[in-house]
Each structure stands twice: as structure tokens, then as C-alpha cells.
Amino acid sequence: MSDTGIFIGLGQTKDGGQPQYLNLRRANRHGLIAGATGTGKTVTLQGIAESFSAQGVPVFLADVKGDLSGVSMAGSPTAKNADKLVARAKEIGVENYSYADNPAIFWDLYGEQGHPIRTTVSEMGPLLLARLMGLNETQEGVLNIAFRYADEEGLLLLDLGDLQSMLAHCSENADMLSAKYGNVTKASVGAIQRQLLQLDSQGGGHFFGEPALDIHDFMKVDEKGRGYINVLAADKLMQSPKLYATFLLWLVSELFETLPEVGDPEKPVLVFFFDEAHLLFDDAPKALLDKIEQVVRLIRSKGVGVYFITQNPIDIPEDVAGQLGNRVQHALRAFTPRDQKAIQAAADTFRINPDLNVATAITELKVGEALVSLLQEDGSPSIVQRTLIAPPRSRVGPVDAKERAIIQSISPVAGKYDDAVNRESAQEILAARGNAAAAAAEASKAQAEADKAAAVQAKLEAKQQEAALKEKARQDAAAARETAKPSAFDKAIQSATRAAGSSVGRQVANELGKAVFGGGSRSKSGGIAGQLVRGILGSLFK
């Protein structure tokens, strides 16, 4: 290793070996490490990563196969293939080769093999989420409306539950939101919800939440000035390519938005190694590829280098591959037409070496050999050289569970991210509002039922009062009639009076008849006249 570069290996030339150095001032121009399975890509990656760390450059690498965790431990002369590493160091002229560990921090999106990595839905933002989920223009517009409405209402979008609740709320209030922001349809909301469920099924629920990662925790150095190597346990992420792509794209996007412009610094402020890079690009929508290209192109000025590791160089889209200035190409196999196409594509990307048939050499490279072309001080690529790769000084192979636990316990971020925080956010607030509305509706219903019951009772009481009044009036009338009736004594007097009157009448009539029609005469005419007079008088005395 020199003061201005990282020793990659010894180039094989006619005049002998020519050391290949990765210039630190050009290390932020990104790079590619490619090659078939078993050709030495992982060991190359490990050696370059620990060399960056020794230069004080923090490193992030995704440990897809689980064997890069050994970078945290020193190698051992008793380890498997230790003799080959020592022999390689001697062959390429590395003096005083010795084993050494590196400061490391273990991370894991699932929180199982390292510190959890989280971010909030708000920090991810609607644009990046829409592109990751492959939403169309209409659906992306609805997602933007949901974010805008949440912001205006003071509703925090922290995890997937918050976003799902917010979308459900938007669906329920589609008419109101459409009038204010534009068309919001339940069909679009449903499509977004389905994509969120797919992301959640791949473990997105672990990634979105709090406490959110402080990106500067990826940029720490130890007391010796060595950059920490951040190792992401990504073996489970292989089964969740959408979550893997989501995380990696968020990470570089976050760095781009957070870090200041530094141009081309003396050395990078951070270097990323993305293993199994094809997972980031397979079946990705064009909008997402455009975003990746944009970030890769622009993040260079932030002092960040991005290195993709993949089996086949044609896995990397052309627009992205064109940004990768430093290249290490391990062996490729020409078994299929696609392999042959990849070999030719790889050969065409190198600066021509008149002494080397690149296309042929790619198929002949041994394990630990690679074709190397690196950016020089003036920014131009060096002539491609067949190179013996320098061996790493750390352990080649994974750490065990006990070693991992010890390293994690002395981590500079121990305890900072381990426990999730679930503070009040959109999901809780909307649920509380819904419960309050339901309680108010229930109270209103109960009050209406109570009012109805009270009205029925009042009507019943009014009817009862009316009936009581009618009954009283009837009783009073009856009492009045009873009062108006003559008593038994009165009836007796009246009867006696009538009887006496009738007797007197008859007597008077008789006397009058006698006087008028002749006393004592019993003639027919006198008898009739007497009866008439008695009748008249009798009626008067009744």
C-alpha cells in the first residue's frame, strides 16, 4: 500500500510485475468487481475493504453469503488455505505480511445478526417509494396526495402501518380529497396497498420504523484512525430482493441528500460495496433504473464511492456501468451464448493492452487472478493488466455466534438502535379519531334512542293524564246528576202532594160539575160534563 493508493495486486507484464494501485483520489469514481462463482470475487472485495479501512476510510459492505463477517477478525496461520495466502503474499512481493483484524460494526435489517437498520416512511418519501413499487403515474399522484395530506394534518408517517392507515383514510375521504388535491380513487389506493403488502411480506415492516438510522454512524473511525467496516447481514435479503433494493437505494439516496459537496477529496468519505448487484436491477422498472443511475452519477461529488460486485458484468445496466471507472474482472466461463456475450462486453470496456488478448484471458484466469484497470491520477483508465490479487489479512470465512455477540457488544452504536420505538403517529392518531367518532356516533344514537323513549313516555303520560281528566269529568258529571236527583223524602212529599192534589181535584170537579150541570142530576149529559171538568181539574193538580 502506498500513501496515495490501495495495493490491488501485481500486474503480469513482459518486463516483470507492475503493482496495481487504486488511487484514493479517484476511488470515488466507483467500480466493478465481476467474475463467475468461485473465482475469488469475495476475497478481492475483502482485501480492498480492509485496505480502505486502514487508510481511514469507512466502508459499508453487504454480506450476502455470510462469509464477509470474518473481516472483523485477524486471520490465522492454522486456517484453511492459510498457506496459499502466505504464498501469494510472497509471490507478489508483500513484505512483512501478517494477519490483522479490522474495526467492524454488524448490521441486520431484521435485527438478528447485528444492529437493526430502520428508516421512516417519511424519510423514504413518496417518489422513491413509488419507483420501488413500480406505481404508474396516477398511483404515484395518489401516493403524493397521501403524503401531502398527512403533512398538513400533522400525521407522522413512520412505519408501513402508518402509511396503510393513511391510505385507508384517503380512500374513505376520497370525495373531499379529490376536491382539494385532485382525483383520488379507491382503485388506485387499492393498487398501492397491494404493493405495500408485498413489500411487507418481504420484511419491510422491520425496515420502516424508529429509531431511524443516523447516516453518520456509517462513517465512524476508531481510536487508531481506521475506518469502521459496516457489515450488513444480507443472507436473508437474498430471499427478499425488493427489500434489498429498497434499502440500498434509500441508503445511497440518503447519503446524497445529507452529505455536503466535496468534489474529489484526497480520499473518499465512505465506500460502498454492493454484493450480488443483479438483485438491485433484476426486473426493476425504468424509473427506478433512472434513479439509480442519477444517484450513482451525482454521489461522486459527495465523496462517496460505490462498487458493484456481480457474477456477470452485463447484469449492470449500461448507463450505470458507464459510471464505473475502476474495474476488477475475474474469470468468466463461455458455456452459453449469454456468457460469450458477457465476455466480449467485458473485453470491450477495458483500455486496450497490445500485449494481452483480453477476451481470451478472461476465460483463462485462475482463482485469485483478475484483469485490472484503474483510474490514474489524471482520471484516465490504466491499460488493463492481468493481475495476481493481494491476499487479505483478516479471516477468510465467517465469525461464529459468540464472536459476533462480542463484537456487537463493544460496538460504538451499541444500544442506540436495538430497541424499537413506537411513538404516536398516523396509525394511532387515525385509530383514536375513528374510535372517538364511533363513540360519538354511539353516544348520538343512544341519545336519540333516549329522546325517542322519553317522547313515547311523555305521550303515554299525556294520554294517561287525558284519560284521568276525562274520568274525573265523568265522575263529576255523575256526581252532579246524583246531586240533582230528589231524595226519597222529597219523592214521598211529591207523591203525597200529587195524591192529595188528585183527590182534591176530583172533589172540586165533582162539586163544580154539580153546580154547573145541576146538583144531584145523574143525567147523561150531566155525567159527561162532570167527567170533563174532573179531568181538566185533575190534570191541573198533578
Side-chain angles (χ1 to χ4, degrees), residues 200-371:
D200 192 24
S201 68
Q202 293 193 13
H206 297 281
F207 179 49
F208 292 102
E210 287 187 316
L213 176 71
D214 180 356
I215 207 71
H216 293 92
D217 283 336
F218 277 167
M219 305 168 66
K220 293 183 177 295
V221 295
D222 69 358
E223 65 280 359
K224 297 180 181 179
R226 298 179 299 174
Y228 271 92
I229 298 178
N230 299 275
V231 182
L232 174 68
D235 49 334
K236 290 179 65 175
L237 285 176
M238 290 287 289
Q239 305 168 13
S240 307
K242 180 166 287 191
L243 180 60
Y244 184 52
T246 299
F247 164 69
L248 296 182
L249 184 54
W250 165 79
L251 196 54
V252 293
S253 298
E254 187 72 9
L255 284 168
F256 176 71
E257 294 174 2
T258 303
L259 299 179
E261 293 280 343
V262 293
D264 290 321
E266 291 300 315
K267 60 184 179 181
V269 298
L270 180 66
V271 173
F272 278 87
F273 291 93
F274 292 159
D275 201 2
E276 301 296 337
H278 66 277
L279 295 177
L280 193 61
F281 304 107
D282 284 353
D283 301 322
K286 186 178 185 305
L288 177 57
L289 296 178
D290 291 342
K291 180 64 175 179
I292 295 174
E293 181 201 352
Q294 178 189 36
V295 170
V296 170
R297 184 175 66 251
L298 298 178
I299 203 171
R300 173 196 61 77
S301 63
K302 307 285 185 173
V304 176
V306 179
Y307 289 73
F308 295 102
I309 296 89
T310 187
Q311 294 184 13
N312 200 319
I314 62 175
D315 291 335
I316 309 298
E318 290 185 5
D319 291 338
V320 176
Q323 307 296 323
L324 311 180
N326 300 292
R327 294 173 177 261
V328 178
Q329 177 65 61
H330 286 271
L332 292 174
R333 309 306 180 201
F335 296 137
T336 68
R338 186 174 186 273
D339 293 336
Q340 296 172 0
K341 179 181 178 181
I343 290 171
Q344 191 58 51
D348 292 342
T349 60
F350 288 110
R351 182 178 173 183
I352 296 175
N353 183 342
D355 298 326
L356 182 65
N357 186 327
V358 175
T360 301
I362 289 177
T363 63
E364 298 174 346
L365 294 170
K366 300 176 183 179
V367 175
E369 277 190 305
L371 298 176

